[in-house]
Amino acid sequence: MHNNNHFVHWFRASSPYIHSHRNKTFVVCFGGEAVLADDFEHHVHDFALLNSLGIRLVLVHGIRPQIDLRLAAKQETPRFHKQLRITDACALQCVKEAAGMVRVEIEALLSLGVANSPMAGAKLKVASGNFVIAKPLGVIDGIDYGHTGEVRRVDSEAIHQQLDQDNVVLISPIGYSPSGEVFNLSSEQVATSVAIALKAEKLIFLTEQDCLHPKDGTAMQQMTTLEAMALLENYPEFPEMLSNPLKAAIHACQSGILRVHLINRNQNGALLLELFTRDGIGTLISLQPYEDIRSAQLNDLAGILELIKPLEQQGILAKRSREKIEMEIADYIVIERDGLIIGCVALHPNQEGRFGALACLAVHPDYQRSARANRLLDYAYRKAKQLNLTKLFVLSTQTIQWFIERGFLLSDINSLPEPIKAFYNPQRNSKVLCKELDE
């Protein structure tokens, strides 16, 4: 029964994402290592599921290990300069062979429809083609890169035509010139260029490891582009298998892609966990913070009411009507996380008397014990100082100690300014706390 309840809770919680992702274009990039892995079919099942949920899906695959295997078979040594392969005639032949083989393998897996398997009844249609026009990288630092190229243009119209027919588009890291030449490309650059050309809602990189901070090994759940650039600058030893997609993510965000995800592909169901849960399991890159603290607006009203209603029912917060909150919405501060109001506090100022009343401090149960209440309080302090307030009051029944630990002192009802005292409810018997603000 517990497992059933867990599934029902997860399924209901995922429904907003199912709705919001439908008819959106996602570009997913994964390396040749993923294709060689024993569990790659799990990713294919997840690709099929995304397609069945109405997501317009473009897959870009890498082929680096497959090329290296073919070069080794020819007793040739792979050559690189600045993390880019030098593609001579022999290497180009290996590139063509690897790209063709990997593409066929992926198409075969996407075509599975065996009964009693996740692909049963999927009936996926896969489209590949010469969607990427490329040009030679040329000679850099005296190094001739040969047939290594860079993206010149993406035929976005042709890709959109395939997506409009509910096809999954599969793109290899190969580009073609108008004169018929073939160029070996970086899969990260191809995926980024395709996402930008399509104006995709998301660009997703399936990486070989978690994105951990080099200093302390903590997971980095989200970064702005500025934070990502600082990370790469301050830690030049950051792993190549993460730095390349991170650089691509920065470029994508700066070019109009709202969100780029880096997800460790080694966790089963990683793609689903990232896309259909609020906190995900990967690293989100965006121009602006994913979680924002700000002044409330009228369209936050429903979120505030939903957040405080359980606390009102428990008697932790005094009941407030929808109309009262709406009238005082300018006094509220909220924390918004991916469209959900997860925290709020109200600062009701009296600028004439230079005092304020804090009220309605609440944090969503899933996000407690993570210092968000402190963030709300700090924001309220800053706002109070901007309004030249010198004293804050709080009426509390069950969070008295929390406020005392943050510098508030117990007082009595007689210390309350008349405008606050007028709303004091003797039946609640709230404790009065006060804090002086530094001038």
Side-chain angles (χ1 to χ4, degrees):
M1 180 63 71
H2 174 74
N3 288 337
N4 288 344
N5 290 338
H6 178 75
F7 170 77
V8 170
H9 174 75
W10 175 84
F11 201 28
R12 286 172 176 164
S14 69
S15 61
Y17 298 97
I18 294 174
H19 295 315
S20 66
H21 295 339
R22 186 175 293 120
N23 297 323
K24 301 298 193 301
T25 300
F26 292 1
V27 177
V28 182
C29 179
F30 50 91
E33 296 84 358
V35 181
L36 292 173
D38 293 336
D39 63 350
F40 181 61
E41 64 178 18
H42 294 160
H43 293 299
V44 173
H45 298 160
D46 293 344
F47 297 153
L49 180 56
L50 296 184
N51 176 261
S52 71
L53 293 173
I55 293 172
R56 295 156 59 90
L57 200 58
V58 179
L59 305 177
V60 179
H61 69 83
I63 51 174
R64 177 174 285 195
Q66 287 84 353
I67 298 171
D68 289 343
L69 287 171
R70 282 163 174 76
L71 285 171
K74 297 176 182 290
Q75 298 184 336
E76 295 282 345
T77 303
R79 293 190 296 146
F80 294 88
H81 180 65
K82 291 187 176 179
Q83 302 179 1
L84 284 175
R85 186 186 298 277
I86 299 170
T87 311
D88 57 19
C90 179
L92 181 61
Q93 184 59 35
C94 295
V95 167
K96 293 177 181 178
E97 293 172 3
M101 181 64 71
V102 170
R103 179 177 58 79
V104 170
E105 288 177 0
I106 296 173
E107 287 180 349
L109 288 170
L110 287 169
S111 300
L112 282 173
V114 181
N116 301 321
S117 80
M119 295 290 289
K123 296 182 180 178
L124 284 182
K125 296 178 293 180
V126 185
S128 301
N130 56 340
F131 302 120
V132 180
I133 295 87
K135 61 181 180 180
L137 199 57
V139 179
I140 300 176
D141 298 331
I143 303 297
D144 186 352
Y145 278 90
H147 299 279
T148 297
E150 59 184 355
V151 177
R152 180 178 176 182
R153 183 171 61 85
V154 173
D155 190 348
S156 58
E157 183 179 350
I159 297 175
H160 276 304
Q161 287 174 353
Q162 296 298 329
L163 295 173
D164 290 342
Q165 297 176 45
D166 296 327
N167 293 336
V168 173
V169 175
L170 179 62
I171 299 178
S172 300
I174 297 288
Y176 307 92
S177 73
S179 59
E181 295 176 277
V182 178
F183 294 103
N184 176 32
L185 306 176
S186 155
S187 59
E188 290 92 353
Q189 188 194 48
V190 171
T192 303
S193 299
V194 168
I196 294 169
L198 296 178
K199 295 181 173 58
E201 277 70 27
K202 289 184 185 292
L203 171 59
I204 302 166
F205 292 100
L206 298 180
T207 62
E208 293 302 303
Q209 64 185 72
D210 289 317
C211 195
L212 305 177
H213 198 286
K215 185 176 180 180
D216 54 18
T218 56
M220 293 182 287
Q221 287 190 316
Q222 60 192 55
M223 283 187 283
T224 63
T225 51
L226 289 177
E227 290 169 338
M229 287 188 286
L231 180 75
L232 293 174
E233 182 179 348
N234 295 332
Y235 297 95
E237 73 281 6
F238 202 61
E240 178 185 340
M241 63 181 61
L242 289 174
S243 64
N244 285 343
L246 199 54
K247 291 173 185 175
I250 293 168
H251 176 56
C253 289
Q254 292 174 335
S255 302
I257 305 301
L258 294 179
R259 292 180 179 177
V260 181
H261 303 254
L262 274 60
I263 312 170
N264 186 345
R265 61 100 182 160
N266 292 293
Q267 178 166 341
N268 187 24
L271 195 56
L272 304 181
L273 290 167
E274 178 70 6
L275 293 177
F276 296 100
T277 61
R278 188 165 298 279
D279 295 321
I281 63 161
T283 300
L284 173 67
I285 315 296
S286 58
L287 271 177
Q288 302 298 326
Y290 173 62
E291 181 176 303
D292 190 26
I293 184 168
R294 56 174 175 78
S295 296
Q297 302 168 356
L298 270 179
N299 56 8
D300 299 318
L301 182 60
I304 293 172
L305 289 168
E306 186 177 347
L307 186 63
I308 67 176
K309 184 177 179 181
L311 299 177
E312 291 179 345
Q313 293 172 342
Q314 297 170 42
I316 297 174
L317 293 178
K319 291 186 177 180
R320 294 164 177 80
S321 68
R322 182 187 185 95
E323 291 75 15
K324 180 174 176 58
I325 296 176
E326 185 173 353
M327 288 176 59
E328 299 174 340
I329 195 68
D331 293 348
Y332 280 78
I333 300 160
V334 296
I335 297 179
E336 179 187 7
R337 183 178 178 85
D338 197 23
L340 176 73
I341 301 301
I342 65 168
C344 70
V345 69
L347 171 62
H348 303 302
N350 185 307
Q351 289 183 268
E352 183 180 351
R354 299 190 70 189
F355 63 83
L358 287 176
C360 207
L361 177 61
V363 176
H364 191 286
D366 291 346
Y367 299 94
Q368 293 174 359
R369 304 184 187 279
S370 56
R372 288 182 172 87
N374 288 331
R375 288 183 63 200
L376 287 165
L377 195 58
D378 289 342
Y379 194 101
Y381 287 159
R382 293 196 298 272
K383 184 175 180 180
K385 289 180 179 180
Q386 289 171 359
L387 295 172
N388 294 318
L389 308 185
T390 60
K391 188 178 291 188
L392 291 180
F393 292 92
V394 176
L395 302 179
S396 177
T397 58
Q398 298 181 40
T399 56
I400 303 157
Q401 189 61 36
W402 189 87
F403 283 103
I404 290 175
E405 291 171 358
R406 284 150 184 82
F408 283 78
L409 299 177
L410 281 170
S411 188
D412 58 56
I413 189 171
N414 293 322
S415 68
L416 290 174
E418 286 302 323
I420 301 178
K421 188 186 294 186
F423 290 99
Y424 186 85
N425 183 354
Q427 292 183 332
R428 282 182 58 81
N429 194 27
S430 300
K431 298 291 185 181
V432 177
L433 298 108
C434 177
K435 181 171 182 173
E436 302 279 350
L437 297 178
D438 298 330
E439 291 284 352

